Amino acid sequence: MMSFLTSALTSLGAARGDEPEERVRLSPEQIEEIGVELDQLRARIVADLGDVDREYIYRLIKVQRGFEVAGRGLMYLGFLPPFWLAGVGALSISKILDNWEIGHNVMHGQYDWMREPGLSSQVFEWDTVCPADQWKHSHNFLHHTYTNIAGRDRDIGYGIIRIDESQKWHPYYLGNPLYSLVLMLFFEWGVMLHDLEIDNIVKGNRKWVDVKPLLEGMLSKASQQVVKDYVLFPALTGPLFASTLLGNASSKVIHNVWMHTVIFCGHFPTGVQVFTEEETTAETRGHWYVRQMLGSANIEGRQLMHIMSGNLSHQIEHHLFPDLPAHRYPEMAPQVKALCEKHGLPYNTGGLVKQVSSVWGKIFSLSLPPFLTGSTTQAAPKRPDESGAS
């Protein structure tokens, strides 16, 4: 039997169209070493948490609120195009910071150690249509526990898109690019509906009565957001109601497009591996770490881009350490990359243009039947053992 990653990396190379020159085999000792080293890295960061992290999140909240106030104020001058555009820009930045570098990260428990009620993952509610408790179930639990396990991680294709060859092709997937475009433009609504598992409802695997509590929560949260963004704030600008309404909607679209881009580039570029349930049976801590590294990708860029992505541009580090403050990921990344290089594991990273092109290339390619693209539908490999013998 082969090592844990032998067949995984073989299919990884095949997905890129490469012929792997040498199979990577990890011994039980290597897998254990990876687990120990990453646990040690985590422990060092936890021991170092303190004033720097506290000041960072407080400063970020102050900046986010400043952009929101500025954006709301500029809408009162929205009859002048430069002020309207500035208002849309400020509101877009405010929304992105609130939802991701603050909301997403706080709800992961990254600041629970501060014992600050307003930054507690248990009670924090973000400024978007998806209720926090539902998002924490679909994302924190399902996605981060079963990262890239086909049939368990519902973020693979979000129930509507074919994003991996292990998903059997169907004529429905001819609409792959269109579904992806719609999801991108209305991403926050897609996030809200994610926990419903609409595809399972359509297939009869789940009944509407089963999701009634979810629907009630969605209706309550979404109605509050719609009233705030599309009724209350536009009404406060009086005769500029239509201008403000359009400005608020535009900032939402900008936020949706950006976050869809960041998230898809962190999960679906060429080279990201998908696994089966059988393959991940009885995982050790080291195996879990390796799966996170193989199932994620990073985006290279400057500090501002990392902040504006909630540091999800460091998706590999986020999957390894989802409950550590995300602004620490850049300092952890070189050590994670060095560990990958030490054991011959891929560290999937690239510039924004490269990763975006890779993702959309897959979306278009996988919309077509395999016989047209010359690819074959591949199930993720069976779980190998760790003996290092082929």
Side-chain angles (χ1 to χ4, degrees):
M1 296 176 70
M2 299 176 293
S3 68
F4 172 63
L5 293 175
T6 299
S7 57
L9 292 180
T10 300
S11 63
L12 180 64
R16 290 198 306 260
D18 302 332
E19 289 297 330
E21 296 180 359
E22 183 179 352
R23 292 184 175 186
V24 177
R25 292 180 173 84
L26 296 182
S27 67
E29 292 75 21
Q30 284 179 295
I31 293 175
E32 182 179 0
E33 181 182 343
I34 289 172
V36 169
E37 291 196 33
L38 289 175
D39 279 344
Q40 291 174 345
L41 174 57
R42 171 188 169 79
R44 288 197 296 271
I45 297 297
V46 169
D48 191 51
L49 295 178
D51 290 342
V52 171
D53 308 277
R54 184 179 289 106
E55 291 170 4
Y56 176 84
I57 190 63
Y58 284 147
R59 183 169 62 250
L60 198 67
I61 291 172
K62 184 177 180 180
V63 170
Q64 181 271 322
R65 290 175 177 171
F67 272 109
E68 181 170 11
V69 170
R72 300 299 181 192
L74 286 166
M75 283 300 159
Y76 286 92
L77 299 172
F79 57 91
L80 298 172
F83 288 94
W84 185 85
L85 289 173
V88 170
L91 290 175
S92 300
I93 294 172
S94 168
K95 180 68 68 175
I96 290 169
L97 291 176
D98 175 90
N99 281 189
W100 301 103
E101 184 70 337
I102 299 173
H104 169 275
N105 294 337
V106 167
M107 290 191 293
H108 262 298
Q110 294 180 8
Y111 295 95
D112 283 356
W113 57 273
M114 290 174 55
R115 301 294 189 267
E116 167 63 53
L119 295 174
S120 168
S121 61
Q122 301 302 311
V123 299
F124 188 91
E125 187 64 66
W126 54 355
D127 186 28
T128 188
V129 295
C130 181
D133 60 332
Q134 294 185 24
W135 178 84
K136 284 185 286 188
H137 174 258
S138 63
H139 182 80
N140 287 13
F141 174 64
L142 290 179
H143 173 58
H144 278 274
T145 302
Y146 305 110
T147 307
N148 279 30
I149 299 178
R152 299 301 299 272
D153 182 3
R154 292 189 52 77
D155 281 20
I156 300 175
Y158 288 84
I160 59 173
I161 302 166
R162 185 175 186 239
I163 200 66
D164 186 80
E165 288 191 346
S166 64
Q167 296 170 275
K168 185 178 179 181
W169 186 84
H170 185 277
Y172 162 84
Y173 289 119
L174 289 170
N176 233 24
L178 177 61
Y179 311 146
S180 300
L181 177 62
V182 172
L183 179 61
M184 179 172 67
L185 295 175
F186 300 96
F187 192 62
E188 70 167 330
W189 294 93
V191 171
M192 182 193 75
L193 296 172
H194 196 32
D195 217 24
L196 283 180
E197 301 182 17
I198 292 178
D199 55 321
N200 281 326
I201 294 176
V202 172
K203 294 174 184 177
N205 298 330
R206 201 176 196 190
K207 298 179 180 179
W208 282 108
V209 67
D210 298 330
V211 298
K212 183 179 179 181
L214 294 178
L215 289 170
E216 291 174 349
M218 291 175 187
L219 180 61
S220 174
K221 185 66 190 300
S223 61
Q224 294 175 37
Q225 292 296 128
V226 169
V227 169
K228 178 178 74 69
D229 289 323
Y230 303 126
V231 179
L232 177 59
F233 278 112
L236 290 175
T237 59
L240 296 177
F241 181 95
S243 173
T244 303
L245 175 62
L246 179 60
N248 289 353
S250 298
S251 69
K252 290 274 193 175
V253 170
I254 292 171
H255 161 264
N256 288 337
V257 170
W258 173 241
M259 291 319 304
H260 174 279
T261 299
V262 170
I263 291 171
F264 270 53
C265 286
H267 293 84
F268 306 127
T270 299
V272 169
Q273 182 67 33
V274 173
F275 305 88
T276 65
E277 289 188 64
E278 180 184 8
E279 184 182 7
T280 57
T281 301
E283 278 187 327
T284 66
R285 182 68 169 170
H287 286 112
W288 184 88
Y289 275 136
V290 172
R291 174 161 57 85
Q292 304 309 311
M293 291 190 285
L294 287 179
S296 316
N298 284 4
I299 309 170
E300 298 170 0
R302 297 183 181 276
Q303 182 182 16
L304 180 60
M305 190 203 74
H306 297 319
I307 294 173
M308 292 300 293
S309 68
N311 273 285
L312 296 182
S313 48
H314 290 91
Q315 194 68 233
I316 296 172
E317 288 69 34
H318 176 59
H319 275 157
L320 291 172
F321 311 108
D323 60 346
L324 294 184
H327 76 100
R328 293 290 194 123
Y329 295 155
E331 70 180 270
M332 303 172 78
Q335 299 172 69
V336 174
K337 183 177 182 181
L339 185 62
C340 287
E341 292 174 348
K342 176 181 177 180
H343 294 282
L345 298 178
Y347 186 83
N348 193 331
T349 185
L352 182 62
V353 173
K354 173 189 173 184
Q355 300 294 50
V356 168
S357 299
S358 175
V359 168
W360 281 96
K362 285 178 67 175
I363 288 172
F364 276 88
S365 176
L366 292 174
S367 69
L368 302 173
F371 74 86
L372 288 180
T373 60
S375 64
T376 57
T377 301
Q378 301 179 26
K382 304 272 185 196
R383 166 106 182 207
D385 89 346
E386 308 149 354
S387 64
S390 58

